Amino acid sequence: MPAPVNNALSLDARLLDLEAKLGVGLPIVTKSDIARRLDKVQAAVNTQTTSGFRETWHESQALFKELDPGMALTHQQQPLLYRRQEVLAAATSLDKDMQELSKIMHLLQPQTEKGKTLREDQVTQAPILTQYYQISPSDEQRLDQLRLTMDDLAKRLQLVMVRTDAMLESYHTIMAVASEKVVMADETIKAKER
């Protein structure tokens, strides 16, 4: 039973110290009046501080409770604990950053139906290209010319691919025939040698 008495004395001593520092008046020493004394201290704090300070204080207290490691503080878990505290302390800015990233992702992705390939107009009309930049007529002409050049290049590339496929098919056929002829010639030579 000595522990509750020590806690009460400790609370009374801390309360006396607070009352003296805040200048709340002569403290009453009775233990039954602690609630009224605490209310007086709270009123004195409210009158002697700004609302911004009190908000910061309450936020600091909430963070302290949230970040308190308690029994989890061992030498092996300290790096993980410190990382957790760092992340929790930056939670509001991380939330803002994630919202900004979400906006950026929305701007970068054109609106399409799932599973379908993008059409050219869907790419050129993506929100990132149409919402924030006014394209001058000369730039628009350059873009059209670039699009035509890219279309021509794609057609020429397709022709090259078809010709390359045909050449590879011909090469394969020639090599198969040549291999067959070499095997036949080898068999003929071996037959004559016997």
Side-chain angles (χ1 to χ4, degrees), residues 121-172:
D121 64 324
Q122 288 174 317
V123 174
T124 58
Q125 297 302 317
I128 191 81
L129 298 175
T130 59
Q131 287 183 356
Y132 296 105
Y133 298 105
Q134 296 296 328
I135 299 175
S136 68
S138 65
D139 287 341
E140 194 169 339
Q141 284 179 336
R142 288 176 57 207
L143 282 173
D144 285 339
Q145 186 62 40
L146 179 62
R147 184 183 55 80
L148 291 173
T149 303
M150 294 301 288
D151 285 344
D152 182 51
L153 181 63
K155 288 176 186 174
R156 289 174 33 200
L157 182 61
Q158 189 66 33
L159 287 173
V160 168
M161 287 172 51
V162 167
R163 288 182 64 193
T164 303
D165 284 344
M167 289 173 69
L168 287 173
E169 187 64 34
S170 297
Y171 173 77
H172 176 69

Side-chain angles (χ1 to χ4, degrees), residues 5-162:
V5 174
N6 286 340
N7 285 340
L9 291 177
S10 173
L11 177 64
D12 191 45
R14 288 186 294 176
L15 189 55
L16 283 170
D17 188 45
L18 271 174
E19 288 171 333
K21 287 181 180 176
L22 290 172
V24 176
L26 293 175
I28 302 171
V29 184
T30 62
K31 292 180 182 96
S32 62
D33 210 24
I34 288 180
R36 190 171 62 79
R37 290 171 57 201
L38 283 172
D39 289 339
K40 273 183 152 182
V41 168
Q42 182 66 41
V45 167
N46 287 341
T47 58
Q48 295 179 13
T49 59
T50 64
S51 62
F53 173 79
R54 288 189 298 275
E55 287 174 17
T56 304
W57 177 258
H58 290 303
E59 183 179 340
S60 298
Q61 291 293 7
L63 277 174
F64 178 75
K65 287 177 185 174
E66 189 174 352
L67 299 176
D68 183 26
M71 297 299 289
L73 187 60
T74 66
H75 72 283
Q76 293 144 340
Q77 296 173 330
Q78 282 180 344
L80 180 62
L81 176 69
Y82 294 143
R83 181 68 182 143
R84 177 179 175 261
Q85 288 176 335
E86 181 182 347
V87 169
L88 288 175
T92 55
S93 66
L94 285 175
D95 187 44
K96 289 178 194 173
D97 293 343
M98 294 307 274
Q99 288 174 357
E100 289 296 317
L101 283 174
S102 175
K103 288 179 188 176
I104 291 170
M105 288 299 294
H106 173 71
L107 291 174
L108 290 175
Q109 294 176 346
Q111 302 299 322
T112 61
E113 295 176 23
K114 293 188 178 191
K116 293 190 176 181
T117 58
L118 294 176
R119 296 186 320 264
E120 179 184 329
D121 64 324
Q122 288 174 317
V123 174
T124 58
Q125 297 302 317
I128 191 81
L129 298 175
T130 59
Q131 287 183 356
Y132 296 105
Y133 298 105
Q134 296 296 328
I135 299 175
S136 68
S138 65
D139 287 341
E140 194 169 339
Q141 284 179 336
R142 288 176 57 207
L143 282 173
D144 285 339
Q145 186 62 40
L146 179 62
R147 184 183 55 80
L148 291 173
T149 303
M150 294 301 288
D151 285 344
D152 182 51
L153 181 63
K155 288 176 186 174
R156 289 174 33 200
L157 182 61
Q158 189 66 33
L159 287 173
V160 168
M161 287 172 51
V162 167

